[in-house]
Amino acid sequence: MPRWLPRALVLALALYAVFQLGNWAFHQVIGLLVNILLAFFLALAIEPAVGRMAARGMRRGLATFLVFFAVTVFGVGFVVLLGSMLAGQIVDMVENFPKYLDLLINWINQNFHTDLSRVEVQDSVLSSDWLQKYVQNSASGVLDVSATVLGGLFRLLTIFLFAFYFAADGPRLRRALCSVLPPARQTEVLRAWEIAVDKTGGYLYSRGLMALISGVAHFVVFEILGVPYAPALAVWVGLVSQFIPTIGTYLAGALPMLIAFTVNPWYALWVLGFVVIYQQFENYVLQPKLTSKTVDIHPAVAFGSVIAGTALLGAVGALIAIPAVATLQAFLGAYVKRYDVTDDPRVHGHRRYGEAVVARLQKALHHKKEPSQGET
């Protein structure tokens, strides 16, 4: 046996043990790392407001507390208002469910020449096996739901705590990071930090404004059509359509279409038509104007970044994907050298069909002349 072999085996086993230990530790703290990443982006989003208040002489910790207090009050008020609205409307929906079911059954009987009755449908649903299993699973999952809610509240508290420290001690964190880098790298890090603040804050602000416009527009349409629960549905459409890019409008429009269908099947088609038209208006008119100075990225890039972020980090990745990609794009754009584009019709998608045909004819005539010259 070579004398180095035992030492190599011990070294290999030690490296494998360290790798396994690191892998185990990483999987144990992956949840904490995701929370810290989300808190960092939240701190970047509120950095402009905290910076303005600190520039006017207010202590940075107090400014951060006031911003978080305002965000908390707004969030709690919004959840309470939406919850009370939804609770009242859910009660109304349950009370009016027999009427909706009668309308649906009558529409089916008239269009498909069937002979259904509400009593038969209710009996078949109540006596079905899947409903009994669902009730049993729901009863046994109450504790799981409670644990999930408590875990979500603890995670939210953790995110807010880290975000508070990131925002309140932002200058100290930047100084600590720059102290271990050479001066040239310090400039690049500070520039990237500034770009990240602008893009993240701009993304949230622009999305919030577009959510407000989308909610108001859909509320007007729902009121004109007489769709029930118009305020709650408008809030739902506004939030989902803006924070799930490209396809969010269609996903958000599914619920209003379903409720409009219970009133009149044609109303569902009207809702679908308005959703499609508004999506085009938002993509080509509203969004370019609102995001041209904040997160000006192509819709396909935004959609791809959301898919990649969801695959990597789930819902958190979908939320921070667009500001992260916008920050990277702006940072690379500052260092990539660009040139003037040549004045060629092909740049604008106009191919030179005439010149190509002439070139092919000349080439064909040239090939025909060459054999004749060789024969003579």
Side-chain angles (χ1 to χ4, degrees):
M1 179 185 302
R3 299 177 61 182
W4 55 267
L5 184 58
R7 185 180 301 176
L9 291 176
V10 172
L11 180 60
L13 292 176
L15 291 176
Y16 180 75
V18 170
F19 172 76
Q20 291 294 335
L21 180 62
N23 188 32
W24 173 81
F26 177 77
H27 283 85
Q28 294 298 318
V29 300
I30 184 64
L32 178 61
L33 296 178
V34 172
N35 292 339
I36 292 176
L37 179 62
L38 189 58
F40 179 71
F41 273 92
L42 179 60
L44 292 179
I46 66 173
E47 175 67 25
V50 174
R52 291 191 186 97
M53 298 172 69
R56 296 180 179 179
M58 185 179 295
R59 294 184 58 183
R60 194 173 180 88
L62 179 60
T64 306
F65 172 77
L66 292 178
V67 172
F68 267 97
F69 181 75
V71 171
T72 303
V73 169
F74 176 78
V76 172
F78 173 76
V79 171
V80 171
L81 179 62
L82 182 62
S84 61
M85 184 186 305
L86 288 177
Q89 293 181 347
I90 288 174
V91 171
D92 294 339
M93 183 182 292
V94 172
E95 293 178 352
N96 296 326
F97 180 75
K99 182 178 70 174
Y100 295 147
L101 187 59
D102 287 337
L103 292 175
L104 180 61
I105 291 175
N106 292 333
W107 182 82
I108 293 175
N109 290 334
Q110 292 176 1
N111 290 274
F112 297 98
H113 305 289
T114 57
D115 191 17
L116 299 176
S117 64
R118 176 160 58 89
V119 177
E120 295 177 355
V121 174
Q122 289 179 346
D123 292 339
S124 62
V125 171
L126 293 176
S127 60
S128 60
D129 295 335
W130 66 267
L131 181 61
Q132 298 176 1
K133 292 180 181 179
Y134 177 77
V135 172
Q136 294 175 358
N137 295 332
S138 300
S140 62
V142 172
L143 294 178
D144 295 337
V145 172
S146 302
T148 302
V149 171
L150 292 177
L153 292 176
F154 178 76
R155 183 179 182 182
L156 185 63
L157 180 61
T158 303
I159 293 172
F160 269 66
L161 183 63
F162 276 107
F164 179 84
Y165 285 122
F166 284 149
D169 293 337
R172 185 184 304 177
L173 180 61
R174 286 191 288 269
R175 286 195 299 269
L177 182 61
C178 292
S179 63
V180 297
L181 298 173
R185 297 297 181 184
Q186 293 179 15
T187 303
E188 295 179 1
V189 168
L190 293 177
R191 185 173 186 176
W193 192 295
E194 183 179 1
I195 292 175
V197 169
D198 294 338
K199 295 301 180 180
T200 304
Y203 170 73
L204 293 180
Y205 299 149
S206 61
R207 286 292 168 180
L209 182 58
M210 286 193 294
L212 177 62
I213 298 174
S214 176
V216 172
H218 285 84
F219 172 75
V220 172
V221 173
F222 296 157
E223 283 291 327
I224 293 175
L225 294 177
V227 179
Y229 326 117
L233 292 177
V235 173
W236 162 263
V237 172
L239 292 178
V240 175
S241 64
Q242 298 309 315
F243 290 96
I244 303 180
T246 306
I247 64 172
T249 302
Y250 304 106
L251 294 178
L255 182 60
M257 285 178 57
L258 179 62
I259 296 180
F261 184 83
T262 60
V263 179
N264 190 329
W266 289 104
Y267 287 177
L269 295 178
W270 282 105
V271 171
L272 176 61
F274 179 77
V275 167
V276 173
I277 293 174
Y278 184 83
Q279 175 69 23
Q280 305 307 316
F281 168 76
E282 181 182 279
N283 287 340
Y284 297 102
V285 178
L286 185 62
Q287 183 174 348
K289 292 183 178 180
L290 294 179
T291 61
S292 59
K293 297 182 180 179
T294 54
V295 284
D296 188 15
I297 59 178
H298 195 274
V301 177
F303 182 56
S305 63
V306 170
I307 294 178
T310 304
L312 293 175
L313 298 176
V316 176
L319 183 62
I320 66 176
I322 291 182
V325 171
T327 301
L328 180 62
Q329 176 179 293
F331 185 72
L332 294 177
Y335 291 95
V336 176
K337 187 177 180 180
R338 298 183 179 273
Y339 301 91
D340 294 333
V341 180
T342 181
D343 188 11
D344 194 310
R346 288 171 293 184
V347 174
H348 306 286
H350 304 298
R351 296 185 61 185
R352 299 178 176 177
Y353 292 105
E355 296 182 5
V357 172
V358 172
R360 290 177 182 175
L361 290 175
Q362 292 178 350
K363 188 176 180 180
L365 292 174
H366 180 71
H367 283 303
K368 288 182 178 180
K369 290 180 180 180
E370 286 182 352
S372 60
Q373 292 176 358
E375 293 175 359
T376 56

